[in-house]
Amino acid sequence: MISFTPILVLFVAAFLYHPVSNDLSRVTGNDSSRVLLLTAHPDDEAMFFAPTILALKDATLPPVQIQTEAPKQVVFSSKQQEDVSNSQLYSLCLSNGNADGLGAIRTQELSRSLGILGIQPDKHWILDHPDLQDNMTLQWDPVTIAEAIRPYILKHRITTVLTFDSDGISGHPNHKALPEGVKQLALALSDSEKPRLFTLISVPTFGKYTSVMGPFLGKFDLYASKALIFYEGVVHGFMERADLIPVGSAAKKTLMPVYVSGYAAYLTSFKAMLAHQSQLVWFRWLYLAFSRYMWINEWAEVKL
């Protein structure tokens, strides 16, 4: 009797091998876009956002020199701005994760992780603000967040901010406060200064821990959605030519930005998380093995 198990395993492996992304331009905007990843703690970038970082980073850049020293906090006037000419990816972490007195160690770990993920040393920063400390019971003040991120947004002409949604993926109150801080900042900025905001979609607890089924189903859904939109367009085109519906009456449909890692990107994300040695307690290993966020990111745009 022929066993189909090896065939099924090979099919799943082949299906997961290559990364897939949908509509990168909706996030990057154009060739001079400035994308800021806004996180709350060291390790957020590897645990939750790695598929997007790896999809957005410029593959033509030379390998990043992994930084062994802590990133310096930059102090500048809000009127100072960089000369920009091409798309760039930045990272700003609002605390050093000092809940257990490991702030200095976690700062070093963040530098190594971001280096592995490909963010240049001069494009990532970490703050140690007295009112933005790592705390599972503290809801950060949106006004304080807005004041903390404002100079980075203005100096680097940030056009897009990527961060957690209002559920914070894990429910951490520090995570949940970040989009509120960006909204607060947007109220004080002109239209030309105001960035676009995308938030990482939280899924129910069961859906978080589907391991390789997460990217498998994500890719299937993405391919199926694109196929349906394509064939719907074909049908509408036929109906327009047959004068069954007015020309141009069909609404243009777009899909949410989705980034699904392949094997190589997953292994890079895994390696980045290994840089956070102080956080590798037993349940983090389970997270690395089963979390869908190690494989797939889905984004929703928030109107500001």
Side-chain angles (χ1 to χ4, degrees), residues 95-165:
S95 82
N96 63 4
N98 197 40
D100 298 317
L102 299 174
I105 292 173
R106 298 194 68 186
T107 297
Q108 299 281 355
E109 292 173 345
L110 176 63
S111 295
R112 290 192 289 270
S113 174
L114 289 171
I116 292 167
L117 292 173
I119 297 183
Q120 302 294 318
D122 61 342
K123 291 182 173 60
H124 61 78
W125 312 279
I126 185 169
L127 305 185
D128 184 15
H129 191 291
D131 296 324
L132 298 174
Q133 293 295 305
D134 182 3
N135 191 324
M136 270 297 296
T137 63
L138 178 64
Q139 184 82 22
W140 289 346
D141 178 28
V143 174
T144 303
I145 295 172
E147 292 172 350
I149 67 177
R150 179 188 177 99
Y152 296 90
I153 297 287
L154 296 180
K155 172 178 168 59
H156 301 284
R157 301 183 189 180
I158 298 300
T159 58
T160 301
V161 175
L162 306 177
T163 193
F164 294 99
D165 67 3

Side-chain angles (χ1 to χ4, degrees), residues 9 15 20 27 29 31 38 41 51 57 77 86 96 100 109 148-149 155 180 218 226 236 255 271 276 280 283 292 304:
V9 170
F15 194 69
V20 173
V27 172
D31 289 340
L38 181 64
H41 317 111
K57 76 171 187 175
S77 165
N86 61 331
N96 63 4
D100 298 317
E109 292 173 345
I149 67 177
K155 172 178 168 59
E180 298 307 313
K226 286 183 175 181
H236 276 113
L255 299 175
K271 184 178 179 182
H276 295 281
L280 294 178
F283 55 84
R292 79 191 300 273
L304 298 178

Side-chain angles (χ1 to χ4, degrees), residues 90-294:
Y90 299 81
S91 170
L92 175 61
C93 184
L94 294 191
S95 82
N96 63 4
N98 197 40
D100 298 317
L102 299 174
I105 292 173
R106 298 194 68 186
T107 297
Q108 299 281 355
E109 292 173 345
L110 176 63
S111 295
R112 290 192 289 270
S113 174
L114 289 171
I116 292 167
L117 292 173
I119 297 183
Q120 302 294 318
D122 61 342
K123 291 182 173 60
H124 61 78
W125 312 279
I126 185 169
L127 305 185
D128 184 15
H129 191 291
D131 296 324
L132 298 174
Q133 293 295 305
D134 182 3
N135 191 324
M136 270 297 296
T137 63
L138 178 64
Q139 184 82 22
W140 289 346
D141 178 28
V143 174
T144 303
I145 295 172
E147 292 172 350
I149 67 177
R150 179 188 177 99
Y152 296 90
I153 297 287
L154 296 180
K155 172 178 168 59
H156 301 284
R157 301 183 189 180
I158 298 300
T159 58
T160 301
V161 175
L162 306 177
T163 193
F164 294 99
D165 67 3
S166 58
D167 291 324
I169 308 300
S170 64
H172 197 300
N174 299 166
H175 295 178
K176 295 162 71 173
L178 297 189
E180 298 307 313
V182 178
K183 293 176 188 177
Q184 183 68 37
L185 174 62
L187 297 175
L189 298 180
S190 66
D191 288 342
S192 62
E193 295 172 325
K194 192 180 300 183
R196 298 159 70 212
L197 172 62
F198 286 84
T199 57
L200 185 62
I201 296 174
S202 295
V203 298
T205 301
F206 174 78
K208 287 181 188 177
Y209 302 106
T210 51
S211 188
V212 295
M213 288 304 297
F216 184 87
L217 294 175
K219 284 187 176 183
F220 179 82
D221 182 62
L222 193 56
Y223 289 137
S225 298
K226 286 183 175 181
L228 288 173
I229 290 174
F230 172 78
Y231 286 113
E232 185 176 350
V234 171
V235 171
H236 276 113
F238 172 79
M239 295 177 71
E240 288 175 353
R241 288 190 294 272
D243 294 326
L244 297 175
I245 60 174
V247 175
S249 62
K252 183 179 180 181
K253 295 184 177 180
T254 58
L255 299 175
M256 72 175 76
V258 179
Y259 307 101
V260 186
S261 290
Y263 283 136
Y266 169 77
L267 292 176
T268 300
S269 305
F270 195 99
K271 184 178 179 182
M273 189 58 203
L274 293 183
H276 295 281
Q277 287 291 318
S278 68
Q279 303 303 297
L280 294 178
V281 292
W282 67 269
F283 55 84
R284 286 287 197 285
W285 292 103
L286 294 177
Y287 181 93
L288 290 173
F290 294 104
S291 173
R292 79 191 300 273
Y293 289 100
M294 294 291 293

